Amino acid sequence: MSKFKFTVGPWNVHTGADSYGPETRKAIDLETKFARFAELGFSAVQFHDDDAVPNMNNLTEEEIKAEARKVKAMLDKYGLAAEFVAPRLWMDPHTTDGGFTSTSEKDREFAMWRAYRSIDIARELGCDLIVLWLAREGTLCAESKSPVTATRQLVEAINNMLRYDDRIRVCIEPKPNEPIDRSFCGTVGHVMGVSAATIDPKRVGANLESAHAVLAGLDPANEIGFALAFDKLFTVHLNDQNGIRYDQDKSFGVENLRQAFNQIKVLWENRYWEKGYVGLDVKAMRTTSDEDSYEHLKNSLEIFKALEEKVARYDYDYANKLIAERKFEQLEMYTLNLIMGLK
Ligand code: 3MF
Ligand code: MG
């Protein structure tokens, strides 16, 4: 039995389209996904604002809330909670150049409108967390935005959200690049700086995604630990990534088992299960068939739980003795033997 509770987003079961080619699998409706998520053992669902309320740009504020209530009823039917809502500020013609840091004032206003509506939707779904993956808050042309102005715009946008609702928590999911070239908020360290500059730092934290840390050339477990040290790890997006290239969202642990083990180890040592959910942000391969649409989720859960079981049996007395004697060669071999199933 895992100590953790798991969450996933509807976008994690997808049609397989990528930047270079069309769909390879059939689309699956939201309710079918909820039913399967519940069956697989997930406790909650993560949402983009328009996952919950499609076509929201064309609806009034009251209509948006009414649509969100229908989704809440559907979640209840399957015993699922909602974990967070994230404004999707990268798909819309209004956000071609970003949202909160766009060079167009109208677009910045649109981004705030979507952020406020995301808060309304979160309230209707019964959750208090807003995730900001700042997809286009950066530059394609380095000279097109001032990094100083943009950083202040980002802080002000978050302040507006904190003022709009005094219970909502905001959580930045940092990523150093993609789809933009240079991001303004690329690591958990950046998030901590932004958080400290807001009007209520306790309500502003991080969502660390393993792949994004790897893309920044950093160790995901250390990024998780850095956020935990400040009590600012509001959620995680666990997955895997083969080095510094396009964002892959591979199943958790399939690329680097030791790194995956250490992410669970730091979560475990800090009793993260009392603080937040373990979110998976994983994608199926393009070659995956319709009938295997959920296999990558099953695999990620299986790998997480198998490694959690190893973390639970980690011999801290032995490890601490080796640490005191500075026998790190032996400590490394003990850990690797455990991961390899030889201990
Ligand atoms: C991009 C991501 C996103 C975010 C999601 C929620 C598609 O690299 O990781 O997943 O996690 O949009 O904010
Ligand atoms: Mg993510």
Side-chain angles (χ1 to χ4, degrees):
M1 258 300 269
S2 177
K3 280 192 182 292
F4 297 92
K5 285 190 167 157
F6 299 92
T7 70
V8 64
W11 65 87
N12 291 122
V13 175
H14 60 103
T15 56
D18 66 19
S19 326
Y20 300 98
E23 289 81 10
T24 58
R25 289 181 293 276
K26 289 190 205 73
I28 298 174
D29 65 87
L30 198 58
E31 180 155 2
T32 309
K33 290 182 185 178
F34 285 2
R36 288 289 280 139
F37 291 163
E39 247 172 55
L40 289 168
F42 287 97
S43 301
V45 179
Q46 314 181 337
F47 291 92
H48 295 123
D49 50 1
D50 56 1
D51 288 327
V53 184
N55 301 316
M56 56 185 289
N57 285 355
N58 306 322
L59 303 181
T60 65
E61 293 173 19
E62 285 315 310
E63 286 168 341
I64 290 172
K65 289 185 196 171
E67 286 304 309
R69 282 193 288 275
K70 290 185 198 160
V71 177
K72 170 76 171 108
M74 212 197 279
L75 285 170
D76 290 347
K77 184 172 162 193
Y78 295 97
L80 293 164
E83 186 194 9
F84 69 65
V85 178
R88 202 194 301 257
L89 294 179
W90 54 93
M91 283 290 196
D92 200 278
H94 295 95
T95 54
T96 305
D97 183 39
F100 308 126
T101 69
S102 167
T103 45
S104 144
E105 192 181 342
K106 276 217 149 22
D107 293 356
R108 292 198 299 275
E109 282 166 12
F110 171 80
M112 279 321 307
W113 185 83
R114 289 286 290 255
Y116 296 141
R117 299 297 74 75
S118 294
I119 295 172
D120 293 345
I121 293 169
R123 286 272 153 236
E124 296 298 339
L125 295 180
C127 66
D128 70 348
L129 189 60
I130 299 299
V131 164
L132 301 178
W133 171 45
L134 301 168
R136 299 190 192 278
E137 312 300 354
T139 55
L140 294 172
C141 171
E143 297 77 20
S144 65
K145 292 177 187 175
S146 150
V148 174
T149 307
T151 305
R152 289 179 181 157
Q153 284 169 330
L154 182 57
V155 171
E156 206 33 47
I158 295 171
N159 283 341
N160 287 338
M161 289 177 231
L162 298 173
R163 282 187 208 106
Y164 180 76
D165 185 313
D166 59 14
R167 285 163 306 166
I168 211 80
R169 296 178 303 144
V170 177
C171 161
I172 298 178
E173 180 179 333
K175 183 175 180 183
N177 60 277
E178 201 194 23
I180 34 85
D181 179 19
R182 293 162 162 87
S183 159
F184 294 129
C185 196
T187 68
V188 173
H190 290 83
V191 176
M192 294 301 105
V194 168
S195 168
T198 64
I199 55 172
D200 195 357
K202 278 198 297 301
R203 289 199 286 145
V204 184
N207 171 12
L208 186 278
E209 174 158 327
S210 327
H212 297 179
V214 173
L215 286 172
L218 296 172
D219 177 68
N222 272 10
E223 285 280 272
I224 288 172
F226 191 75
L228 282 169
F230 299 106
D231 241 333
K232 290 278 174 45
L233 189 73
F234 290 1
T235 190
V236 290
H237 266 176
L238 298 190
N239 56 18
D240 216 341
Q241 168 75 25
N242 174 22
I244 301 178
R245 60 191 74 219
Y246 68 97
D247 186 10
Q248 299 180 307
D249 297 336
K250 290 186 174 210
S251 294
F252 180 65
V254 297
E255 197 59 39
N256 189 333
L257 272 184
R258 185 182 186 181
Q259 201 167 263
F261 173 85
N262 281 322
Q263 289 173 72
I264 301 173
K265 185 165 174 285
V266 71
L267 292 171
W268 176 278
E269 287 170 0
N270 291 279
R271 305 178 69 85
Y272 172 77
W273 57 81
E274 291 170 357
K275 304 172 195 181
Y277 289 106
V278 168
L280 297 177
D281 194 2
V282 293
K283 282 203 186 102
M285 291 176 235
R286 181 173 162 76
T287 44
T288 299
S289 66
D290 287 299
E291 63 174 14
D292 288 341
S293 288
Y294 297 85
E295 215 59 23
H296 61 303
L297 295 178
K298 269 171 45 192
N299 292 349
S300 297
L301 287 174
E302 197 174 320
I303 293 170
F304 185 100
K305 288 174 184 170
L307 290 175
E308 180 186 346
E309 187 265 322
K310 290 177 190 291
V311 168
R313 333 196 246 110
Y314 198 72
D315 187 344
Y316 281 92
D317 289 339
Y318 181 55
N320 287 336
K321 186 173 163 295
L322 295 178
I323 292 165
E325 293 166 3
R326 212 169 269 179
K327 288 188 171 298
F328 295 164
E329 305 291 352
Q330 288 86 336
L331 179 64
E332 180 164 82
M333 202 57 215
Y334 164 66
T335 306
L336 268 293
N337 271 332
L338 184 68
I339 295 171
M340 291 188 292
L342 302 173
K343 272 268 182 301

